[in-house]
């Protein structure tokens, strides 16, 4: 789709469960928080990160930081997550950030570009876990025609090459569409190379 590669069903249930176990440890070390946009509106997703850098947003703007809002460094990216990156982005440098987004009831993500990284030659790899989400892909500039695809638990998406800077977002999440997370909701991981 528009140069965005969707690997539907790439991860089977055991792999998804292993990822969730590892992510629980990440969230214990670096609790989820609700970022404020620079405009002073809280985002509806809760997030945290693993890796050398974490992505965050506050009144100072969107940026990468070497520390969680608590002031502590982020936990390392789990091997189970790095294995997904190696499977679809073997040519790329090692990821330095695994952004963890948690979508609870009603959470969404507006159309945006991922453009806080230093080298747009490196892809962004996304992993979906839990409830299904309606992913919208637009163009290299804001507006214009868009295409949508439901991302299911275990789907992997590569935003790279010509499509690296396409606008994208999550319109909605379908509650109770997956049994992976007992508490419901959706986890999305995005792996990024921050400063090559
Ligand atoms: O939740 C998703 O599938 C997309 C997340 C995303 O675009 C981002 O974190 O930049
Ligand atoms: Fe994004």
């Amino acid at each position: 789709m528009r140069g965005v590669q969707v690997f539907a069903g790439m991860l089977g249930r055991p792999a998804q469960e292993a990822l969730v176990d590892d992510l629980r440890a990440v969230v214990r070390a670096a609790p989820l928080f609700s970022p404020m946009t620079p405009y002073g509106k809280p985002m509806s997703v809760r997030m945290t990160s693993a890796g050398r850098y974490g992505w965050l947003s506050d009144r100072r703007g969107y940026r990468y930081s070497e520390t969680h809002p608590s002031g502590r460094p982020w936990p390392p990216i789990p091997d189970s997550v790095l294995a997904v990156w190696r499977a679809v982005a073997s040519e790329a440098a090692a990821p330095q950030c695994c952004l963890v987004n948690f979508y609870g009831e009603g959470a969404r993500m507006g159309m945006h570009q991922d453009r806080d990284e230093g080298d747009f030659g490196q892809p962004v790899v996304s992993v979906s876990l839990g409830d299904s989400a309606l992913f919208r892909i637009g163009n290299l500039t804001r507006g214009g025609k868009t295409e949508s695809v439901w991302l299911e638990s275990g789907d992997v998406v590569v935003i790279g090459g010509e499509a690296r800077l396409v606008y994208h977002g999550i319109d909605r999440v379908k509650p109770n569409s997956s049994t992976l997370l007992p508490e419901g909701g959706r986890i999305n991981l995005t792996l990024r190379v921050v400063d090559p």
Side-chain angles (χ1 to χ4, degrees):
M1 276 180 77
R2 298 178 175 237
V4 173
Q5 293 172 274
V6 179
F7 297 94
M10 186 178 141
L11 305 171
R13 180 76 180 214
Q16 296 173 39
E17 287 173 356
L19 285 167
V20 171
D21 280 350
D22 289 344
L23 292 167
R24 290 197 195 284
V26 166
V27 169
R28 272 197 300 276
L32 292 166
F33 55 94
S34 302
M36 251 325 159
T37 63
Y39 320 103
K41 232 183 98 189
M43 294 181 69
S44 59
V45 296
R46 293 193 295 146
M47 53 177 70
T48 189
S49 292
R52 168 149 185 220
Y53 295 103
W55 186 87
L56 48 78
S57 164
D58 59 20
R59 298 212 175 240
R60 282 171 53 198
Y62 300 126
R63 62 201 156 82
Y64 284 99
S65 164
E66 292 188 77
T67 51
H68 181 270
S70 65
R72 293 192 299 267
W74 310 94
I77 302 177
D79 285 339
S80 56
V81 176
L82 294 173
V84 178
W85 174 272
R86 283 195 299 268
V88 295
S90 53
E91 242 83 292
Q96 298 163 305
C97 171
C98 172
L99 174 62
V100 181
N101 290 134
F102 179 76
Y103 295 75
E105 218 180 303
R108 52 184 298 282
M109 190 176 288
M111 295 292 278
H112 66 278
Q113 293 172 299
D114 290 2
R115 54 172 309 149
D116 297 325
E117 300 75 27
D119 178 4
F120 300 136
Q122 303 290 336
V124 171
V125 172
S126 132
V127 179
S128 292
L129 297 166
D131 287 339
S132 311
L134 191 57
F135 182 58
R136 186 198 292 263
I137 304 170
N139 304 287
L140 295 173
T141 53
R142 196 175 273 289
K145 278 197 181 146
T146 64
E147 283 179 55
S148 295
V149 62
W150 281 98
L151 294 181
E152 318 281 349
S153 195
D155 290 357
V156 175
V157 175
V158 179
I159 302 176
E162 300 287 289
R164 177 61 179 75
L165 289 173
V166 290
Y167 276 83
H168 58 277
I170 295 290
D171 287 342
R172 59 195 160 93
V173 172
K174 198 189 287 174
N176 307 313
S177 49
S178 162
T179 57
L180 184 69
L181 304 174
E183 66 276 38
R186 171 176 187 260
I187 297 170
N188 173 263
L189 308 177
T190 44
L191 290 157
R192 299 129 184 276
V193 178
V194 177
D195 63 4

